[in-house]
Amino acid sequence: MIHIMLCDPDGVYLSRLHGYLKEHLHIAVRISEYTDPRYLADVKDSGAKTLLVADEGFAEEIACARYDSVLFLTQESGQEGRGAEEGTPVQRISRYGRASDIVSKMLSMPVFSEGDCPATAMRAAGTRLIGYYSPLSRCMQTSVAIATGQMLGRSHRALYLNFDAFPARSLSAEKGNLADLLYYHGCDPQTLPLKIEQMKQRLGPLYFIPPAESFLQTEGVRCEEWISLIRAIAESVRPDYLLLDLKTHVAGILEILSLCDEIITITGTDAQDREKMAAYRQALALGDGEEILRRSRFCALPRGHALPKHPGMLSDSPLAQIIRKEGLLPHEA
């Protein structure tokens, strides 16, 4: 386990950063607070890896060599950087930046890449899987899934996975994507909790793991591999809701849908849409898909309303009002 020591003269700032870490960092770590660096000398070496996150004003009082990694919080922006002091990796970041940026900087430090970071057991209740799938194209399925996830994210822990063949740029990866998670899960599953923490991003209150750049990155992935990864992600993050934005090209689509507690299917409105939906329903009925049909909620969305320019604003759009009106929020939300 990694021991994170927070050292800052501002007790309120310390408390807020500590609270953010406890709420948003879902790997097993120990966190301690100190308002005076002199108390750090009393910390006994337990054999754990150590990360010190400290106000840069304490730099002259801190012996960096006592820690595996050190992150200094600077007073001014634009002073970010990395280096080494007394042989210890040292980085800097503005204390006034977003808490998520500070956490991302922490997770990028060598102490995490070298440490054993298992998932922390967050709660006893199980994660509810919400599947989004329609045989129709351009039916606003992704917008509905993201808007729903953002609404859920205001009061629950929600995580969104997108399986688009060619996903939108707004969901693009900065530090890895779903294809990379498949690789890590296959060759070194113990690193999965840390990799998820390093990769996950936010769209407003909704967390998501960036999708593969295209279906070519995941071509050939078997159904069993997808199911194993989905279960591993749910076990590592333990969200209240895991939203799966599924597409027809995903291997074993029906098997994955059968895992879902609820399935949202957009039906369209014209004759061609109705014909496709009839064929889909018939295929399920004749192919042992009765349970998928039972768990599915079919909905035709009205056309003609504009979507916001950025998906981070979907939860405050007219689409969100339609989702509420049509009862597309999960039953327990």
Side-chain angles (χ1 to χ4, degrees):
M1 180 180 292
I2 293 174
H3 187 183
I4 301 175
M5 288 168 275
L6 309 176
C7 186
D8 194 278
D10 187 338
V12 175
Y13 182 87
L14 267 183
S15 179
R16 289 177 177 172
L17 182 57
H18 190 167
Y20 186 91
L21 287 170
K22 288 182 66 176
E23 182 178 357
H24 297 275
L25 193 61
H26 304 132
I27 50 179
V29 295
R30 177 187 172 193
I31 305 173
S32 303
E33 295 183 25
Y34 305 89
T35 56
D36 190 325
R38 290 176 295 181
Y39 295 119
L40 290 169
D42 297 329
V43 179
K44 298 183 188 273
D45 184 7
S46 63
K49 296 282 188 178
T50 54
L51 168 63
L52 175 63
V53 182
D55 182 85
E56 193 173 36
F58 292 149
E60 294 184 0
E61 304 175 58
I62 290 173
C64 293
R66 298 185 67 245
Y67 312 98
D68 293 289
S69 293
V70 176
L71 176 63
F72 283 124
L73 304 172
T74 67
Q75 293 290 334
E76 299 180 12
S77 61
Q79 295 188 2
E80 300 179 14
R82 62 182 64 200
E85 297 180 18
E86 304 176 29
T88 297
V90 175
Q91 296 190 29
R92 289 170 170 79
I93 190 170
S94 171
R95 65 186 289 113
Y96 302 114
R98 295 181 300 180
S100 59
D101 292 338
I102 295 174
V103 172
S104 294
K105 178 70 79 172
M106 292 166 56
L107 292 172
S108 71
M109 301 193 73
V111 65
F112 278 100
S113 61
E114 298 168 358
D116 180 19
C117 301
T120 181
M122 298 298 296
R123 58 191 183 87
T127 295
R128 288 192 64 81
L129 265 63
I130 311 299
Y132 293 82
Y133 174 72
S134 174
L136 308 179
S137 59
R138 300 184 64 83
C139 62
M140 296 196 298
Q141 173 179 303
T142 292
S143 295
V144 169
I146 292 175
T148 303
Q150 289 172 342
M151 288 187 281
L152 291 172
R154 291 172 175 170
S155 55
H156 299 81
R157 295 179 54 245
L159 179 67
Y160 168 73
L161 304 182
N162 179 286
F163 293 80
D164 267 345
F166 298 99
R169 286 189 177 183
S170 56
L171 300 177
S172 61
E174 294 180 1
K175 298 178 181 178
N177 59 36
L178 200 57
D180 297 311
L181 280 189
L182 273 166
Y183 169 79
Y184 290 118
H185 180 53
C187 66
D188 193 2
Q190 289 187 343
T191 65
L192 195 68
L194 176 60
K195 296 303 180 183
I196 291 173
E197 291 300 311
Q198 292 175 331
M199 291 180 192
K200 71 181 184 183
Q201 300 179 35
R202 294 183 74 176
L203 280 171
L206 175 64
Y207 280 101
F208 73 97
I209 295 172
E213 293 179 5
S214 77
F215 77 95
L216 296 175
Q217 281 195 309
T218 57
E219 191 174 29
V221 176
R222 294 175 289 110
C223 170
E224 295 79 5
E225 294 176 273
W226 281 126
I227 290 176
S228 178
L229 178 65
I230 290 168
R231 286 175 170 163
I233 291 173
E235 181 63 27
S236 296
V237 182
R238 294 183 182 263
D240 298 306
Y241 296 96
L242 179 57
L243 284 66
L244 308 179
D245 187 357
L246 296 160
K247 308 298 178 183
T248 303
H249 71 270
V250 177
I253 179 68
L254 296 184
E255 287 83 352
I256 296 173
L257 285 174
S258 68
L259 299 176
C260 297
D261 298 285
E262 295 181 44
I263 302 159
I264 306 299
T265 298
I266 311 301
T267 61
T269 56
D270 61 27
Q272 187 176 19
D273 291 342
R274 288 192 292 271
E275 185 177 346
K276 286 186 178 181
M277 290 308 306
Y280 171 63
R281 287 174 180 263
Q282 184 178 23
L284 290 179
L286 297 177
D288 297 324
E290 293 90 349
E291 188 62 22
I292 293 176
L293 282 172
R294 189 183 68 80
R295 298 178 189 177
S296 295
R297 300 164 71 181
F298 295 88
C299 177
L301 298 178
R303 297 176 182 263
H305 59 273
L307 296 176
K309 293 183 179 179
H310 192 275
M313 303 168 63
L314 277 166
S315 61
D316 296 315
S317 70
L319 179 60
Q321 299 175 16
I322 294 171
I323 290 171
R324 293 189 184 94
K325 180 180 177 181
E326 297 293 333
L328 297 184
L329 285 174
H331 290 299
E332 290 77 10

